[in-house]
Amino acid sequence: MKTMVKKFTVLMTAAALTATLAACGNNSTEGQKGTNAASSKPAAPTDISVTTLAFAAAPTGELEAVKKLNEKFNMNLKLSWIPSAQITEKLNALLASRDLPDVLFVEDFNYTPAFLNAIDQGAFWDLTTYVKNYPNLAKYPENVFKNASVKGKLYSIPRVRPLDGHEAMLIRKDWLDTLGMQPPKTMDELYNVMEAFTKKDPDGNGKADTYGAVLAGSPGPASYLLSMFGTGTKWKDENGSLIPYWWTPQAKEALAYWNKAFKAGGIMPDFPVLKTAQFKDMLVAGKAGIAFANVVDAYKYNLELQKANLKANLIAVELPKAPDGKAYYEQASGFYGQFLINKKSVDEAKLKKILEVFDYTSTVDGYNLAVYGMQDVDYKVKPDGFVEQTEEGKKKGYSGDTTGQWVTGYFDKYSRAKTTGIPSDVFEANKKIIDAISSIPDPTYGLTKTTPFQEKGADWDKKLNDMLVNVIIGKNSLDDWDKFVKTFKDDPSFQQHVKETNDAYKEKMKK
């Protein structure tokens, strides 16, 4: 749930080069058919090139898993990896070179907007009518495809991720037990627990050295601090029109709440400078009793807590209900990155072969083979069903950080609820949390950033984040907040941003 502001790359002029990419979009397969008809020899393997990113060193040499896949699908699979730190620069260079692989990973169109121009020019396959014919890919939630679409059409295979499970409340159950309290189910109860964790010595050491919640204020408060009150996810649809979530009455209500909690000492005083990455440190050190993070993080952090305190018990629970009696969760996009298929080098027959391969790697067995290698040699499946990479597999270069980056994966609703070694009772409790979630999608998924936002968005975000922090800590008042919102409503550039966003949203809803 970390908020990141990335600097947009300069929009490249792509019309001329994408016309070249699209020119050979329907390569003939007549020569291959003629050969098959005239000879009983097996068809020649299909060459398929895939370029993706890697978070670790790429494997050296040919992997046994690739050999097995080549045999299964009668193909020659060539995998190329780009270091993650260079992905934006290298993707733009590839597009400009007009020499793209058959399949290409794109992290986010907002970082490489020239690819959108290439799509408009017909450089990549429209997969809208194809994906549904592949049973394992078709199992992806509809919202995942919707969020990955461009102008209502699917031009990619999204690298699927869960829609939920990234947002839960982590809380010290042992502290609650000491104080005779229950996990908070409402915002009022949460306030009382935060205050008690700060003022009533829940760790029993006789010192005033604990706090209620650890929240991140740098580079800005996470959006869930507002969305938990019903502001919507980034934008809110009101009668078919979108408004920024921080313009809503619920946003002001949320700020009043967190300001009150901060003044009461229920939030760590370092809030303005704390980053999300420091949640774990504060929890493991026993400094705070509440945080908001992935469901499974409670179990992971508790393992470290118990190294110093065997009685520590950090658990995940549902988010407290807003004042209107509802619990509000932000829905994730459901994917990280997308694979585009080059129409210049891929005819329809080859396209179907590629989709067949990705459909297989969208199963558990296919995914494990592609990512972890040969079972019982490169990896083992433990009794609880979790995969454990062997030292042999690690030496060969198999890992989720590299070999896991060229496949789209299989959809697992509970992947943020589990980890290797998690006890069955904890896993079942985590599953119940995810089952209870009814999350709200960001209506602007699939929409590119507006021209005004590309020009001024970083400055707007900084001003917003600074004001949010200052209101929460009391440096600015709620009256100041009202004036701040009004300046944006009166700003012609921001008005244009809202208008362009709404125009794109309404066009998307027609599809």
Side-chain angles (χ1 to χ4, degrees):
M1 304 193 317
K2 181 178 179 181
T3 301
M4 297 192 300
V5 178
K6 291 193 176 183
K7 184 176 182 180
F8 294 109
T9 56
V10 177
L11 182 63
M12 299 169 60
T13 302
L17 63 92
T18 51
T20 302
L21 288 173
C24 301
N26 293 311
N27 296 341
S28 172
T29 59
E30 290 180 8
Q32 183 180 344
K33 291 179 180 177
T35 301
N36 292 341
S39 172
S40 60
K41 293 182 180 179
T46 303
D47 292 327
I48 298 176
S49 56
V50 180
T51 296
T52 187
L53 87 170
F55 294 98
T60 58
E62 186 176 9
L63 297 169
E64 184 68 21
V66 173
K67 291 181 182 179
K68 292 292 183 182
L69 289 167
N70 284 340
E71 293 171 4
K72 180 177 179 64
F73 293 101
N74 190 30
M75 65 177 179
N76 288 320
L77 180 64
K78 181 181 179 181
L79 301 174
S80 299
W81 284 276
I82 298 172
S84 59
Q86 303 171 18
I87 191 68
T88 298
E89 173 190 352
K90 296 293 186 182
L91 287 177
N92 279 326
L94 273 174
L95 184 59
S97 74
R98 311 182 190 185
D99 186 23
L100 297 177
D102 298 325
V103 183
L104 179 68
F105 168 87
V106 174
E107 184 177 20
D108 188 324
F109 289 128
N110 285 306
Y111 308 149
T112 50
F115 279 88
L116 292 172
N117 292 339
I119 286 173
D120 284 341
Q121 294 294 325
F124 300 104
W125 276 95
D126 177 358
L127 305 178
T128 309
T129 60
Y130 287 95
V131 170
K132 64 183 180 181
N133 297 321
Y134 296 84
N136 301 303
L137 292 173
K139 290 178 183 177
Y140 291 179
E142 184 61 31
N143 268 10
V144 174
F145 290 125
K146 183 178 178 181
N147 292 338
S149 295
V150 175
K151 297 181 180 179
K153 293 184 178 181
L154 184 69
Y155 291 95
S156 67
I157 311 174
R159 286 162 36 92
V160 71
R161 297 291 186 270
L163 292 165
D164 298 307
H166 59 289
E167 199 174 6
M169 182 162 63
L170 280 51
I171 191 166
R172 287 288 296 268
K173 179 66 165 56
D174 55 313
W175 286 10
L176 289 171
D177 292 343
T178 296
L179 300 177
M181 305 181 81
Q182 296 296 317
K185 295 184 177 181
T186 68
M187 289 298 175
D188 286 341
E189 291 177 2
L190 173 59
Y191 177 89
N192 292 335
V193 170
M194 287 191 293
E195 188 176 35
F197 279 3
T198 300
K199 298 179 178 179
K200 296 186 178 181
D201 191 25
D203 61 358
N205 67 356
K207 301 177 182 179
D209 58 356
T210 59
Y211 294 94
V214 52
L215 305 176
S218 177
S223 58
Y224 63 80
L225 291 184
L226 304 187
S227 64
M228 284 167 57
F229 284 75
T231 63
T233 301
K234 299 300 194 305
W235 292 78
K236 188 168 187 177
D237 186 329
E238 292 192 343
N239 301 316
S241 295
L242 299 181
I243 63 170
Y245 76 114
W246 48 277
W247 283 10
T248 61
Q250 293 90 344
K252 185 176 179 180
E253 182 179 25
L255 288 173
Y257 175 88
W258 294 116
N259 170 252
K260 179 183 176 183
F262 186 84
K263 288 193 297 184
I267 298 172
M268 291 193 70
D270 291 338
F271 159 71
V273 297
L274 283 174
K275 299 179 180 180
T276 302
Q278 295 175 280
F279 281 4
K280 176 183 176 181
D281 297 337
M282 298 299 103
L283 291 170
V284 170
K287 297 298 183 182
I290 296 171
F292 299 91
N294 289 329
V295 174
V296 74
D297 286 345
Y299 171 73
K300 291 180 177 179
Y301 299 168
N302 198 52
L303 290 178
E304 297 195 38
L305 259 171
Q306 290 185 338
K307 291 178 182 178
N309 179 5
L310 287 175
K311 295 182 179 180
N313 187 16
L314 185 69
I315 65 171
V317 297
E318 295 175 38
L319 295 184
K321 292 180 173 61
D324 65 3
K326 299 178 182 179
Y328 293 98
Y329 293 82
E330 297 183 4
Q331 188 175 104
S333 66
F335 66 96
Y336 167 58
Q338 303 160 258
F339 286 113
L340 303 176
I341 300 178
N342 183 3
K343 208 167 184 181
K344 176 183 176 182
S345 63
V346 176
D347 60 17
E348 187 173 40
K350 189 171 180 177
L351 169 67
K352 291 179 178 179
K353 173 78 74 173
I354 291 170
L355 291 174
E356 186 181 0
V357 174
F358 277 109
D359 191 64
Y360 176 64
T361 59
S362 296
T363 66
V364 174
D365 289 343
Y367 178 82
N368 285 348
L369 172 62
V371 177
Y372 302 117
M374 310 304 296
Q375 186 170 350
D376 296 327
V377 177
D378 303 313
Y379 76 93
K380 294 181 179 180
V381 179
K382 301 176 69 177
D384 59 9
F386 289 96
V387 170
E388 183 176 66
Q389 196 83 64
T390 65
E391 290 303 316
E392 179 70 16
K394 292 176 183 177
K395 290 177 183 177
K396 294 176 182 176
Y398 292 109
S399 77
D401 287 340
T402 51
T403 47
Q405 303 306 316
W406 79 267
V407 291
T408 58
Y410 58 93
F411 180 73
D412 182 355
K413 177 182 179 181
Y414 302 114
S415 68
R416 291 195 178 106
K418 62 185 179 182
T419 188
T420 300
I422 191 170
S424 59
D425 60 330
V426 177
F427 181 37
E428 290 302 317
N430 288 348
K431 286 168 62 178
K432 288 180 180 179
I433 293 171
I434 291 177
D435 286 338
I437 294 173
S438 178
S439 56
I440 301 170
D442 179 349
T444 62
Y445 274 136
L447 305 184
T448 55
K449 301 299 183 184
T450 66
T451 300
F453 191 88
Q454 291 183 46
E455 295 172 351
K456 299 183 177 182
D459 181 59
W460 289 340
D461 281 346
K462 184 180 186 308
K463 288 178 179 177
L464 173 61
N465 290 334
D466 288 347
M467 179 57 73
L468 288 169
V469 169
N470 286 339
V471 172
I472 290 172
I473 66 176
K475 186 175 180 179
N476 286 105
S477 68
L478 291 174
D479 286 340
D480 293 333
W481 172 256
D482 289 336
K483 294 174 184 176
F484 176 80
V485 172
K486 187 177 185 302
T487 62
F488 275 84
K489 289 182 176 181
D490 293 341
D491 181 347
S493 294
F494 200 82
Q495 288 176 0
Q496 184 64 25
H497 166 55
V498 173
K499 180 183 182 302
E500 288 184 19
T501 300
N502 271 277
D503 289 345
Y505 174 64
K506 290 172 183 177
E507 186 64 28
K508 172 185 174 182
M509 297 303 291
K510 292 179 183 178
K511 305 297 183 180

